[in-house]
Amino acid sequence: MEFRPCIDIHNGKVKQIVGGSLKDAGNQAVENFVAEQDAIFFARLYQRHQIKGGHIILLNPEGSEFYESTKAQAMAALHAYPGGLQVGGGIHPENAREFLKAGASHIIVTSYVFRDGMVHYGNLEKLRKVVGKEHLVLDLSCRKKGDSYFIVTDRWQNFTEEKIEESLLEQLSQYADEFLIHAVDVEGKARGIEKQLAALLGAWGKIPITYAGGIGCYEDLDELRKLGKDRLDFTIGSALDLFGGDMEFEKICRNFTTHVTD
């Protein structure tokens, strides 16, 4: 179980938002924190601590008036820490190589792979051929409906019919090197993890999975370790002191990464 940091970019700024509040219309989101520093600052910070596997997420869609400024921030961060960060948000076969060439270790994809609420295996295969399984992370971020978790797409706004369960994880793992899974209903709220989801993911745990959502204190990390059987990596957003919270970045690094320098 290791710490995977994040750089979320919205309207050209590094931010922490309430996940379920993101709207394409008007480029709106409920903001928890807007950083004074740019994405390069955070990329270099993670590089100094030799933490790999963090993710950059572009939260504006292509066509948004803010997309180019958001993309510019992402590209600058990738150049600042080549090979150290993953990137996602509006990525498809036509632009994936551009991000890899800029320095991304992996590209993260959701919406391109899901069409009409289902996995589009043709698109998934096309993407795998373009970037290779070893460079592909599938974002299976989800929200709860009834007693189950369903994958959501388009910056977490739309439900698919795909339920997070072992059979789906098994099938998709043939195409991806890792999974990134935000528990969207608790994302940005720092009020506790989705216990049922953590247990489900930990019970499978056959490829690296980064869990995000709801971590607000060190006790949440203890619970995630227990429920996830020490198999889940994690990211912390609004609760981290870098983004205005109380959890100390340096302490997290000391205790949850094997790449920290003295």
Side-chain angles (χ1 to χ4, degrees), residues 245-262:
D246 296 325
M247 298 181 73
E248 299 174 22
F249 172 74
E250 296 291 343
K251 181 176 179 179
I252 296 296
C253 289
R254 287 195 302 271
N255 290 284
F256 292 98
T257 176
T258 59
H259 304 291
V260 181
T261 57
D262 292 333

Side-chain angles (χ1 to χ4, degrees), residues 4-23:
R4 300 284 195 96
C6 63
I7 304 174
D8 295 341
I9 308 172
H10 182 245
N11 296 356
K13 300 285 187 180
V14 176
K15 296 181 182 180
Q16 286 295 312
I17 67 168
V18 177
S21 73
L22 190 61
K23 305 293 182 186

Side-chain angles (χ1 to χ4, degrees), residues 49-119:
H49 286 76
Q50 298 185 11
I51 310 170
K52 292 191 173 184
H55 56 273
I56 301 170
I57 301 295
L58 290 73
L59 293 173
N60 294 102
E62 287 186 293
S64 160
E65 62 182 301
F66 293 103
Y67 176 76
E68 290 303 326
S69 60
T70 290
K71 180 182 176 181
Q73 283 284 314
M75 296 299 250
L78 293 173
H79 284 299
Y81 188 10
L85 295 164
Q86 306 170 357
V87 64
I91 296 182
H92 45 75
E94 287 70 35
N95 64 8
R97 285 198 184 99
E98 179 185 6
F99 287 98
L100 290 176
K101 186 176 180 180
S105 66
H106 296 70
I107 56 102
I108 305 167
V109 179
T110 308
S111 299
Y112 177 77
V113 169
F114 293 88
R115 285 289 182 270
D116 300 318
M118 307 293 288
V119 179

Side-chain angles (χ1 to χ4, degrees), residues 22-257:
L22 190 61
K23 305 293 182 186
D24 286 348
N27 300 290
Q28 298 177 359
V30 176
E31 299 171 347
N32 284 329
F33 182 83
V34 180
E36 296 180 2
Q37 304 92 341
D38 60 12
I40 293 175
F41 168 86
F42 293 98
R44 289 177 174 162
L45 176 66
Y46 304 154
Q47 184 183 45
R48 286 199 300 274
H49 286 76
Q50 298 185 11
I51 310 170
K52 292 191 173 184
H55 56 273
I56 301 170
I57 301 295
L58 290 73
L59 293 173
N60 294 102
E62 287 186 293
S64 160
E65 62 182 301
F66 293 103
Y67 176 76
E68 290 303 326
S69 60
T70 290
K71 180 182 176 181
Q73 283 284 314
M75 296 299 250
L78 293 173
H79 284 299
Y81 188 10
L85 295 164
Q86 306 170 357
V87 64
I91 296 182
H92 45 75
E94 287 70 35
N95 64 8
R97 285 198 184 99
E98 179 185 6
F99 287 98
L100 290 176
K101 186 176 180 180
S105 66
H106 296 70
I107 56 102
I108 305 167
V109 179
T110 308
S111 299
Y112 177 77
V113 169
F114 293 88
R115 285 289 182 270
D116 300 318
M118 307 293 288
V119 179
H120 192 303
Y121 285 99
N123 282 1
L124 186 53
E125 180 61 33
K126 183 177 180 181
L127 197 56
R128 181 172 66 172
K129 287 181 178 178
V130 169
V131 303
K133 179 179 185 290
E134 69 276 14
H135 295 297
L136 180 58
V137 175
L138 285 177
D139 183 339
L140 307 182
S141 296
C142 56
R143 306 183 77 165
K144 196 170 188 180
K145 185 162 60 174
D147 294 327
S148 300
Y149 293 90
F150 290 84
I151 295 170
V152 289
T153 63
D154 304 298
R155 289 154 304 284
W156 310 329
Q157 296 172 77
N158 298 317
F159 273 92
T160 71
E161 298 175 23
E162 300 289 355
K163 183 167 66 173
I164 298 287
E165 55 188 351
E166 289 194 5
S167 59
L168 181 66
L169 298 175
E170 199 75 41
Q171 180 71 13
L172 294 179
S173 68
Q174 299 176 46
Y175 297 86
D177 196 40
E178 300 183 12
F179 294 144
L180 170 64
I181 302 182
H182 291 81
V184 176
D185 290 326
V186 296
E187 173 71 16
K189 298 180 180 179
R191 297 175 185 167
I193 65 171
E194 286 275 16
K195 299 177 184 180
Q196 180 184 341
L197 179 61
L200 188 161
L201 298 174
W204 184 74
K206 294 185 180 180
I207 66 172
I209 298 175
T210 297
Y211 169 91
I215 297 172
C217 61
Y218 301 106
E219 289 76 15
D220 288 334
L221 293 179
D222 293 337
E223 193 161 41
L224 184 64
R225 184 189 292 278
K226 179 180 178 182
L227 291 170
K229 301 180 185 289
D230 210 19
R231 293 171 171 170
L232 305 180
D233 296 326
F234 65 93
T235 192
I236 305 173
S238 302
L240 201 63
D241 58 359
L242 296 180
F243 305 120
D246 296 325
M247 298 181 73
E248 299 174 22
F249 172 74
E250 296 291 343
K251 181 176 179 179
I252 296 296
C253 289
R254 287 195 302 271
N255 290 284
F256 292 98
T257 176

